[in-house]
Amino acid sequence: MLGATGDLARRKLIPALWELQTGGYLPPLFQTVGVSKDALSDKQWQAWIRDVLGESSPAAEAFCRKFVYVQGQFERAELYRELAARLGRQDGQWQTCANKLFYLAVPPPLYQTIFQHLADSGLTEPCSPEEGWTRVAVEKPFGKDLQTAQELDALLGRLFKEEQIYRVDHYLGKDTVRNVLAFRFSNTFLTPAWDSRSIASIAVSLRETGDILERGSFYDGVGALRDVGQNHLLQLLALFLMENPGAFDAQSIRRERARVLEALTIMDGQDAAQQTVRGQYTGYRQAAGVSPDSDTETYFRLLASVHSSQWRGVPLILESGKSLSRSVTEVAVTFRHHTPCLCPPEAGRHYTNVLTYRIQPDEAVHMSFWVKRPGDQMVIEEKSFVFDYGRAYGGSFIPAYTKLLLDIIRGDQTLFVSTDEIMASWRFVDPIERAWRRGVTPLEAYTPGSDGPTTELPRAGGPEKHLGYIGLGKMGSNMVARLLDHGWQVTATDPDAAVLRRAHKAGAQTAATAAAVVHQLQRPARTVREPAGGRLIWIMVPHDVVDTVLAEITPLLAAGDIVIDGGNSFYKDSVRRAEALVAHGVYFLDVGVSGGPSGARAGACLMVGGDRAVYKQLTGLFADLSVAAGFDYMGQSGAGHFVKMVHNGIEYGMMQALAEGFTVLKASPFLLDLARTAHVYNRGSVIESSLVRWLKDAYDRFGPELDSVSGSVSHSGEGQWMVEAARELGIPVKVIEDSLQFRIESQQQPNYTGQVVSALRHMFGGHAVTKK
């Protein structure tokens, strides 16, 4: 035990060894060699151990005799020669090559020196492959940034094998933390609801009432983010986001934790300015060991995200601080309000469920749910299911360090952090720290005993959830309804008065013209946290009407306003429009929207082009409008509509292939039920898709002959744009070109294949079906 007289040894390691001894987990031939710079004899250190235990029973006395002491400076090779001699004498006495664990309970700056000396001395070499394993345990923090972590890891990699190294984050040893895996993966009812389709946000919080105590010299060079964020909070987050590892073994579990951390979106300086809050409690600079002009944070709150199909669009809030109003470590999982909602007629009220997983104190799992209050009225009240971990098991938790030491002895690395996890964590934390050192996020003072800095993180979707919406066609009306369900204020307009009345009845404000929409939008207060802090206008009109709308509203726009074209515009027109608007200081995003009217209501697919910073600012808006993880940034202006154009071209080819295939099925000698065939195709086959589902629905609606559906197929222009763009790029697109040509020729030569394509267009897009 290197650092044998330090605080970690006194508070954690010695009590943990005593727990293992009294629990019968330690072998009869067991000895602890304490190493420290303090001048102590064996008997003096044994007395120190006895004082730590606080008892003098025969068992305690026998336990204390298992402790011997070596004094020396960690920087000097003589110490390790004396330690080797002591260990060798013990091996000789026991007449065996003993297993050896070197536990570094020392300040992190000493790690590199100790590692090198341990390796140079030969102390960490096993006696043979069959006996006498050697292991090294090292406490967090592992490095102070990515570079030092990489250097330390490279040294460890040269000196030791990975299976010898145990990187300790004591939070992973807590029973309630270890229970996360059982809670998530042994309860099958949670699995379908555990991704972005059902979860709206996850918040990990580690709040402490205590200050930095006697740790000023260490803490002032580290700060809250590196002290607990890079390790404890990110490890908790990984446990709540990781996929099923498939087995409860170290390799599988550590691999899945690492995948989560490697998928964290890395922040740049602008992100750090917008998505982080940092603070320092009043009086911190007067603590011993702290610089009088220190800008070290004692509190942080940040908005993170994971770039994965499972979690894209889900805000991840990490928070920790000292000298706060209460001490609590917990993870709060807020579930989505699904739309459309069967909710009581309570204006503007939507019901969500929150699962709160309490790590400490009062270890428990709380799940909020909604019930009807008794009575004749449909009045909904929030109640809670509670699993009290301590009460259920009589508070019999195994202490974290006891479990961790036992696992090191057993050779189980499940609860220890891997190299991949450490590097991924530092890759996420380092850019934030660098941005803070440049002053991009102000250091706010807060009063001890308060809830920390008062500055809030920006709201998802922009500074205010209010936008103007121009065009309430088949897609627009449903998108507005979805926005209203998600708490947005919408001011909408459309030439169709009946459509406008329905929008008003649903809860939208309405305006007679596009110009009136802009006039009615209040300009939000601009903050330094948003690249664009102005009004937000979504245009959803035919592509040949967009310029007319822009001509009407552009004179009314101001710098910082944002215009989004969500229709099927030609990508070159979007590039031109973005250039024209930027001259007015107005931001322009082109968003390809797919999914048809049903997708617009239940969640669409969004392909976004334009200024990346503005896209990041509006991810909340896109998350509210899209199916789970159904949006992403495509590139600069025009990219969103270019990707949507290609999507529509591919759609032409896929629909043509389905139509031709089902024409063959219809003509076969087997009298096939085409609806049942489509149903089977859509249950796990290679061609399973929304199109096949819609085809099955079309047969259910129109019958297998599709008698009422025209075989002349309309086309709206996107397919032609796709073919022309491919020609400009010199790319052959024969399938798409042939499917476009089929539609053109079907105007004069209608057939059953055309009927299938027309039926599909009607089912997903609401396109008119011309009866014969």
Side-chain angles (χ1 to χ4, degrees):
M1 185 185 299
L2 293 88
T5 57
D7 186 59
L8 177 64
R10 173 183 288 274
R11 292 189 303 110
K12 301 295 184 181
L13 298 180
I14 302 302
L17 288 171
W18 175 237
E19 287 270 351
L20 293 175
Q21 174 71 24
T22 56
Y25 294 106
L26 296 180
L29 298 181
F30 170 80
Q31 186 178 72
T32 297
V33 180
V35 184
S36 179
K37 63 181 179 181
D38 298 322
L40 298 174
S41 65
D42 288 353
K43 290 188 178 299
Q44 287 174 319
W45 195 44
Q46 290 169 5
W48 187 88
I49 301 296
R50 193 177 299 110
D51 180 65
V52 170
L53 298 181
E55 60 178 284
S56 56
S57 64
E61 290 298 323
F63 176 71
C64 290
R65 287 194 294 273
K66 294 178 180 288
F67 288 76
V68 296
Y69 188 81
V70 173
Q71 187 269 334
Q73 300 292 326
F74 293 118
E75 298 85 353
R76 300 178 66 86
E78 295 83 22
L79 169 64
Y80 302 89
R81 286 195 290 271
E82 183 176 349
L83 179 58
R86 175 65 73 112
L87 294 175
R89 288 196 299 272
Q90 194 62 61
D91 281 356
Q93 181 180 336
W94 287 345
Q95 297 184 339
T96 185
C97 178
N99 300 318
K100 297 176 180 66
L101 165 63
F102 298 90
Y103 201 111
L104 275 65
V106 299
L110 291 172
Y111 289 171
Q112 189 164 352
T113 297
I114 293 174
F115 288 151
Q116 189 66 61
H117 279 298
L118 284 175
D120 291 345
S121 66
L123 282 167
T124 57
E125 295 177 5
C127 299
S128 71
E130 291 76 29
E131 65 171 346
W133 54 252
T134 62
R135 293 168 186 156
V136 177
V138 56
E139 287 276 333
K140 69 91 181 173
F142 193 81
K144 63 179 182 180
D145 52 28
L146 179 60
Q147 180 179 343
T148 57
Q150 288 173 331
E151 292 171 353
L152 196 57
D153 190 69
L155 175 63
L156 275 174
R158 291 195 303 271
L159 304 179
F160 314 114
K161 297 178 180 179
E162 178 63 23
E163 58 265 28
Q164 290 181 277
I165 305 167
Y166 289 73
R167 303 171 187 86
V168 177
D169 181 343
H170 70 271
Y171 254 63
L172 292 179
K174 292 179 177 291
D175 260 317
T176 42
V177 174
R178 289 156 49 210
N179 179 59
V180 173
L181 292 175
F183 175 76
R184 283 199 52 208
F185 300 118
S186 299
N187 295 297
T188 55
F189 72 91
L190 284 175
T191 303
W194 208 265
D195 57 26
S196 60
R197 291 171 296 180
S198 298
I199 292 178
S201 67
I202 297 179
V204 185
S205 181
L206 195 167
R207 301 169 62 90
E208 301 176 84
T209 55
D211 57 23
I212 60 170
L213 302 174
E214 308 300 322
R215 302 174 68 214
S217 298
F218 164 77
Y219 194 92
D220 202 42
V222 177
L225 180 58
R226 287 189 286 189
D227 186 38
V228 298
Q230 179 269 337
N231 35 71
H232 298 339
L233 267 65
L234 287 180
Q235 283 292 320
L236 284 174
L237 181 67
L239 288 169
F240 274 81
L241 298 186
M242 63 184 279
E243 294 190 30
N244 192 323
F248 280 101
D249 62 63
Q251 182 178 0
S252 302
I253 291 170
R254 301 206 305 176
R255 180 190 64 235
E256 293 305 324
R257 289 199 312 244
R259 284 178 177 172
V260 171
L261 298 175
E262 288 165 353
L264 283 165
T265 303
I266 305 303
M267 296 188 194
D268 57 24
Q270 190 173 59
D271 295 332
Q274 296 169 25
Q275 296 169 211
T276 67
V277 174
R278 59 195 295 256
Q280 183 188 92
Y281 66 80
T282 304
Y284 168 78
R285 295 174 181 174
Q286 283 71 56
V290 173
S291 171
D293 59 352
S294 171
D295 65 349
T296 297
E297 82 285 351
T298 60
Y299 174 95
F300 71 87
R301 184 168 65 253
L302 59 86
L303 179 63
S305 62
V306 170
H307 192 78
S308 72
S309 59
Q310 189 178 10
W311 295 107
R312 182 178 295 125
V314 177
L316 309 172
I317 299 95
L318 304 178
E319 177 199 41
S320 182
K322 293 187 175 295
S323 289
L324 299 175
S325 58
R326 65 188 185 118
S327 289
V328 64
T329 302
E330 64 185 17
V331 180
V333 180
T334 301
F335 289 85
R336 288 189 182 278
H337 163 73
H338 282 287
T339 56
C341 172
L342 183 62
C343 298
E346 199 172 332
R349 183 70 184 273
H350 299 294
Y351 301 93
T352 58
N353 305 106
V354 180
L355 185 151
T356 303
Y357 193 100
R358 180 76 54 79
I359 307 296
Q360 63 183 25
D362 306 322
E363 297 86 347
V365 181
H366 295 250
M367 184 70 199
S368 71
F369 67 104
W370 297 88
V371 298
K372 176 191 173 296
R373 182 194 299 169
D376 64 321
Q377 299 296 314
M378 181 59 79
V379 178
I380 301 295
E381 286 188 342
E382 187 176 23
K383 296 298 180 181
S384 181
F385 285 124
V386 179
F387 167 68
D388 189 313
Y389 209 115
R391 182 177 298 175
Y393 294 102
S396 57
F397 297 116
I398 182 171
Y401 275 90
T402 303
K403 173 60 176 170
L404 293 172
L405 282 174
L406 181 60
D407 281 0
I408 297 174
I409 293 169
R410 289 172 170 172
D412 184 350
Q413 291 183 306
T414 303
L415 303 181
F416 300 87
V417 186
S418 67
T419 294
D420 291 341
E421 292 172 87
I422 288 171
M423 300 310 162
S425 298
W426 281 123
R427 276 191 290 271
F428 175 72
V429 167
D430 264 10
I432 301 173
E433 287 282 353
R434 287 195 298 268
W436 285 355
R437 288 196 293 271
R438 296 197 306 270
V440 302
T441 303
L443 183 68
E444 303 178 40
Y446 64 94
T447 304
S450 69
D451 287 329
T454 57
T455 298
E456 294 292 333
L457 292 170
R459 294 181 61 177
E464 295 182 6
K465 298 183 79 168
H466 189 189
L467 86 166
Y469 204 99
I470 301 170
L472 297 174
K474 289 173 292 189
M475 297 283 285
S477 292
N478 281 349
M479 291 177 76
V480 166
R482 185 171 176 85
L483 287 169
L484 293 171
D485 282 341
H486 282 81
W488 285 80
Q489 290 179 279
V490 180
T491 301
T493 190
D494 192 272
D496 189 326
V499 169
L500 209 54
R501 284 194 297 272
R502 286 197 294 272
H504 180 73
K505 185 177 181 180
Q509 302 173 36
T510 57
T513 65
V517 168
V518 179
H519 279 302
Q520 290 185 31
L521 291 175
Q522 293 185 351
R523 187 168 178 80
R526 181 73 178 271
T527 74
V528 295
R529 290 183 173 271
E530 299 94 22
R535 295 163 292 186
L536 182 58
I537 300 103
W538 188 293
I539 301 174
M540 202 72 180
V541 299
H543 67 87
D544 54 358
V545 183
V546 175
D547 283 332
T548 302
V549 172
L550 289 176
E552 181 180 350
I553 68 173
T554 298
L556 307 174
L557 300 175
D561 288 344
I562 306 168
V563 175
I564 300 173
D565 178 8
N568 281 327
S569 292
F570 186 42
Y571 78 96
K572 290 183 179 179
D573 290 333
S574 297
V575 174
R576 169 178 56 80
R577 290 162 184 157
E579 291 173 350
L581 286 174
V582 77
H584 297 272
V586 175
Y587 294 91
F588 179 85
L589 299 181
D590 52 286
V591 179
V593 181
S594 181
S598 61
R601 188 67 182 91
C605 169
L606 308 178
M607 303 149 242
V608 187
D611 188 292
R612 187 180 184 88
V614 178
Y615 160 79
K616 290 181 178 180
Q617 178 183 328
L618 297 179
T619 54
L621 167 64
F622 301 135
D624 286 347
L625 282 173
S626 73
V627 70
F631 70 94
D632 209 340
Y633 178 73
M634 300 294 106
Q636 61 189 2
S637 294
H641 281 152
F642 185 89
V643 173
K644 179 56 164 53
M645 175 190 72
V646 174
H647 159 283
N648 288 352
I650 294 171
E651 177 189 297
Y652 272 45
M654 292 174 69
M655 290 171 65
Q656 187 70 22
L658 280 174
E660 292 175 1
F662 273 78
T663 300
V664 173
L665 290 170
K666 182 176 182 295
S668 77
F670 298 106
L671 301 177
L672 297 169
D673 185 320
L674 299 184
R676 293 174 69 179
T677 303
H679 174 80
V680 171
Y681 278 171
N682 220 39
R683 288 297 183 274
S685 82
V686 173
I687 63 170
E688 179 180 7
S689 64
S690 295
L691 283 173
V692 176
R693 173 172 56 83
W694 279 317
L695 181 55
K696 190 267 183 188
D697 293 342
Y699 280 125
D700 288 341
R701 175 175 296 187
F702 300 114
E705 300 298 325
L706 303 176
D707 290 329
S708 62
V709 179
S710 172
S712 298
V713 188
S714 300
H715 63 98
S716 53
E718 292 92 338
Q720 185 67 49
W721 294 342
M722 164 67 189
V723 170
E724 292 172 354
R727 287 172 181 166
E728 289 180 9
L729 295 169
I731 305 296
V733 287
K734 182 172 176 53
V735 171
I736 298 171
E737 193 167 3
D738 286 350
S739 64
L740 173 62
Q741 187 62 33
F742 171 85
R743 295 192 182 194
I744 295 171
E745 293 174 356
S746 74
Q747 301 303 312
Q748 302 300 322
Q749 303 171 21
N751 54 33
Y752 186 79
T753 300
Q755 287 176 275
V756 176
V757 176
S758 292
L760 279 169
R761 294 182 77 244
H762 175 76
M763 295 306 298
F764 73 75
H767 299 287
V769 176
T770 304
K771 295 182 180 180
K772 292 184 179 179

